[in-house]
Amino acid sequence: MASICVVGAGHAGLVTAACFAELGHRVSCLDVNLRKLEALQQGTIPFFEPGLEEMVRHNLATRRLSFTADYREGVEGKGSIFIAVNTPSSPGGRTDLRYLYAAAREVARTMDEGSIVVIKSTVPVGTTEGVGGLLAAERGGVVPMVFNPEFLSEGTAIEEFMKPARIIIGSGDLSAAEAIAELHDGLESPIVICSLRSAELIKYAHNAFLATRISFINEIASICEGTGADVRVVSRALGLDSTLGQAYLKAGLGWGGSCLPKDMRSLIYMAKANKAPCQVLKAVVKTNNRQRATAVEKLRSLLGSLEGRVVGLLGLAFKPNTEDVREAPSLEVIRLLEAAGSLIKAYDPKAMSACAQLYPRLTCCSDPYELAQGCDALLLVTEWEEFKHLDMPRIRSLMKQPIFVDGRNLFEPEEMARWGFIYRGIGLGFPALPVAVGVRA
Ligand code: NAD
Ligand code: UGA
């Protein structure tokens, strides 16, 4: 059993802290947000993440997990200190490292001699060396530094921490790297030990590759629409080849969230700063931005004009199983519809209040049926599982016009047509045909 401090109780930090405690370590999780800490000390999680609240409560009860705002209490006596604070992007794409450096200064003041400092936040290449330099200067001696990126996705975070595809440990100090590798004993995943700089770039390359796959399939979707092909069949068939794989090939309104967009900006900034070409990365971002506008254009072409029309948004979160709306496609859709003079209603199982704070003119509904009432059109933005089980004929009967744009291809076009909807998906050649081909084993 090791003693660990995790600085930052956000999505990445809290999951790391709870999972290390679950693996048997003694973990102190530190944050400067006192309201968040108070809730956590009572076992209440400030965001939605399946299974996390139970895990936090269990480990609070066993006393393997504790929360504090006090750096001395959190850091002293810990063999490794993980820093998992936010690293947002500033205008222009440069990563804002002020929270990381503020945390590092506090760690320098309170850490024991010989403790290992691990950066978990996603940071530009060279940052861990920079933080190591600051720590060495403040403490008057070299501090063992490790970069250990996190690859979890919101909504499936615990499973991804406990069963990672691989664990990346970057360091110039092999014994520090091995000590951090040992903390993961019990996880059956390959461990890659490499230089700090390679580890930092692996994290950006991972996220950029996911974003690239999504923008690629969205471009293919546009070609499908022009040619009468069906992107659902195309991506299914691509994915059957193991060299391509099925993941991140769903066409739709594109990628959002707190990580992919900021990490793409940061990587492009790094490429430019190093005079490296980044045409592919820039095109990936451009295609993604276009997806939101394309969905609004579909509504405009079906409605004639958007002005004064009542449009209902099914889903607001950047993806299902989260209440997170940071850089969610819904935000840009709302902005475009408001600019066009539409009246916007919305329903999301978890993200209503986060979105209403950003757009006070949004009419928030308590369920999808209240949403459908009087709508000229519905636009499905987030593919929540519960939307699959809606009483669609009832939805249809409540609407003023039966127009349905499915931004995530959740529904079967043929069935929607049978229920009387004028239906458009993404990348479904017009007129949308049923998926006539199955996959034979
Ligand atoms: P977040 O904004 O949800 O949480 C960050 C936390 O750090 C906040 O609670 C904040 O109060 C705290 N904090 C800020 N400055 C602090 C300081 N000086 N001392 C102590 N606490 C401080 O961020 P997040 O989503 O957890 O992301 C954190 C990092 O992890 C980012 O670099 C992100 O790119 C990376 N990451 C996030 C995810 C994810 O799914 N959210 C996945 C992988 C990697
Ligand atoms: C993403 C990565 O998946 C994680 O590996 C990484 O650790 C994390 O960023 C991070 O660095 O923080 P997350 O932001 O939780 O995780 O979201 P994803 O599940 O990757 O989805 C991102 C966006 O892509 C969502 O808006 C989703 O709707 C969209 N998406 C995803 C598609 O449009 N099509 C797909 O096929 C898959």
Side-chain angles (χ1 to χ4, degrees), residues 54-73:
E54 294 80 345
M55 190 180 271
V56 166
R57 286 188 179 183
H58 169 68
N59 286 288
L60 277 173
T62 62
R63 296 177 173 270
R64 284 200 299 263
L65 179 63
S66 59
F67 294 101
T68 182
D70 181 59
Y71 267 89
R72 199 159 290 286
E73 184 188 328

Side-chain angles (χ1 to χ4, degrees), residues 151-154 203 206-207 248 250 256 259 318-319 408:
F151 294 99
L152 61 83
S153 313
E154 295 181 18
K203 173 63 196 175
H206 171 101
N207 279 6
Y248 287 81
K250 282 202 205 104
C259 291
F318 84 96
K319 65 174 187 178
R408 298 288 180 182

Side-chain angles (χ1 to χ4, degrees), residues 95-110:
T95 305
D96 178 354
L97 294 172
R98 86 181 92 157
Y99 307 103
L100 183 80
Y101 273 99
R105 272 186 212 99
E106 292 297 320
V107 170
R109 200 173 54 75
T110 47

Side-chain angles (χ1 to χ4, degrees), residues 42-245:
Q42 306 304 315
T44 304
I45 306 301
F47 48 82
F48 178 65
E49 182 60 49
L52 186 58
E53 193 153 279
E54 294 80 345
M55 190 180 271
V56 166
R57 286 188 179 183
H58 169 68
N59 286 288
L60 277 173
T62 62
R63 296 177 173 270
R64 284 200 299 263
L65 179 63
S66 59
F67 294 101
T68 182
D70 181 59
Y71 267 89
R72 199 159 290 286
E73 184 188 328
V75 171
E76 253 180 15
K78 307 300 185 303
S80 36
I81 300 122
F82 285 73
I83 304 183
V85 300
N86 37 327
T87 50
S89 59
S90 13
R94 192 193 187 117
T95 305
D96 178 354
L97 294 172
R98 86 181 92 157
Y99 307 103
L100 183 80
Y101 273 99
R105 272 186 212 99
E106 292 297 320
V107 170
R109 200 173 54 75
T110 47
M111 69 185 282
D112 293 0
E113 195 63 36
S115 295
I116 303 166
V117 174
V118 186
I119 308 291
K120 191 95 173 128
S121 304
T122 304
V123 292
V125 178
T127 302
T128 310
E129 286 168 13
V131 172
L134 173 125
L135 291 173
E138 302 256 322
R139 295 190 56 81
V142 175
V143 171
M145 297 298 298
V146 167
F147 179 71
N148 168 226
E150 183 48 63
F151 294 99
L152 61 83
S153 313
E154 295 181 18
T156 46
I158 291 178
E159 200 189 327
E160 282 169 352
F161 189 95
M162 290 301 197
K163 288 185 196 154
R166 68 299 201 222
I167 295 159
I168 308 293
I169 299 181
S171 188
D173 176 332
L174 193 57
S175 67
E178 277 166 357
I180 298 307
E182 262 174 43
L183 297 179
H184 297 82
D185 279 355
L187 305 185
E188 290 164 13
S189 303
I191 295 184
V192 178
I193 295 183
C194 58
S195 71
L196 283 171
R197 288 181 177 234
S198 295
E200 287 165 333
L201 193 59
I202 288 167
K203 173 63 196 175
Y204 283 102
H206 171 101
N207 279 6
F209 195 56
L210 298 182
T212 303
R213 285 178 68 98
I214 301 167
S215 286
F216 167 80
I217 202 66
N218 280 329
E219 273 200 9
I220 295 293
S222 302
I223 300 171
C224 286
E225 285 182 15
T227 58
D230 183 333
V231 75
R232 297 168 305 162
V233 183
V234 174
S235 61
R236 183 88 199 277
L238 289 177
L240 288 172
D241 183 327
S242 62
T243 56
L244 302 183

